[in-house]
Amino acid sequence: MIKRIGVLTSGGDAPGMNAAIRSVVRCAIYHKLEIVGVIRGLSGLIREELRQLTHRSVSNIINRGGTILKTARCDEFLTKEGQRKAVEVIKKNKIDAIVLIGGNGTYQAGIALEEKWDIPCVGIPGTIDNDINGTDSTIGSDTAVNTALEAIDKIRDTATSMERIFVVEVMGRDCGFIALQVALGGGAEDVLIPEKRFSLRDMCRDILKGNKRGKISWIIIVAEGAHIPVHHGAKAEEIARRITKITSLETRVVVLGHIQRGGIPTAKDRILATRLGSAAVDVLMKNKRAKAVGIAFDKIKVVDLRFAVSKKHLPVGNFYRLIRILT
Ligand code: F6P
């Protein structure tokens, strides 16, 4: 019987994590469960950084970016010793189950806790990358795309006025989701992502062709993890340097970086987080094991954690086709 649960956020923060924490805490209390917040994710779990949470602890956070529980990346948890320490803390504090809010790395930790140490876990997808299976969208991804788009709209003003090519780098080490979304939503001319090989020569040929027709400004989106052959230093810098070398056209580079992880969560992310927080508590109340919650076609979905971390398919071809038609 589950009486006391722990909740943590781990890995990269994502806007909407607070809304998820609030929902988990208040739904747990509604079901008469005790709830403990783990500070600094898995690292805090190992170090026994715990805080009892009440209804009031999560007041006025639904609209705040970041995570009140703080978060961290934790290599120590990858070791058996790190996991043993974490499990000792869980047992000592009589925590019956853990709600993990995070991305792939966080879910992998949940799988280890379940499979190696028999600790009940449920995952809530919180990452701007939208690379978790079993949900159409992860908490934070909508806000991140909107933040990046807002910046790109501003870049477009100066790109058009000064007739330049802008290469804009967005987040996504292993996934081109943000890049594809902002390319489509921001009307970019090209996009480079980890899931697709690209040819600089073809890109430059298209730029030169367009230039002959009188086209002067371009926005090219580069995902952080895009495959760029023989690259040195920042990817966007390298792409821009090579475009100028081949086309003799003027380029500028903008790396949007961590601004994409901050800010007020959009309505979509808050609502998603609130529904998923409640779904996660329901999963634990029903004694389901090693599950992750998500929403697909507006319906709550409960999938295995192992499925949730399997490679997510991005409809890359459809996106590229549309970008080509619209350019
Ligand atoms: O949280 C996901 C993410 O934002 C990726 O898109 C990015 O590659 C990575 O985190 C950056 O991580 P860090 O902030 O630890 O450098």
Side-chain angles (χ1 to χ4, degrees), residues 12 73 127-129 171-173 224 258 261:
R73 303 216 184 264
T127 164
I128 63 166
D129 289 347
M171 275 192 162
R173 199 164 26 208
E224 207 185 342
H258 286 77
R261 285 236 296 259

Side-chain angles (χ1 to χ4, degrees), residues 23 30 35 69 73-74 76 92 123 128 145 197 225 268 270 296:
S23 176
Y30 173 83
I35 176 113
L69 293 177
R73 303 216 184 264
C74 178
E76 194 179 350
K92 182 177 154 201
I128 63 166
V145 167
R197 296 234 155 251
K268 188 177 166 194
R270 295 183 207 190

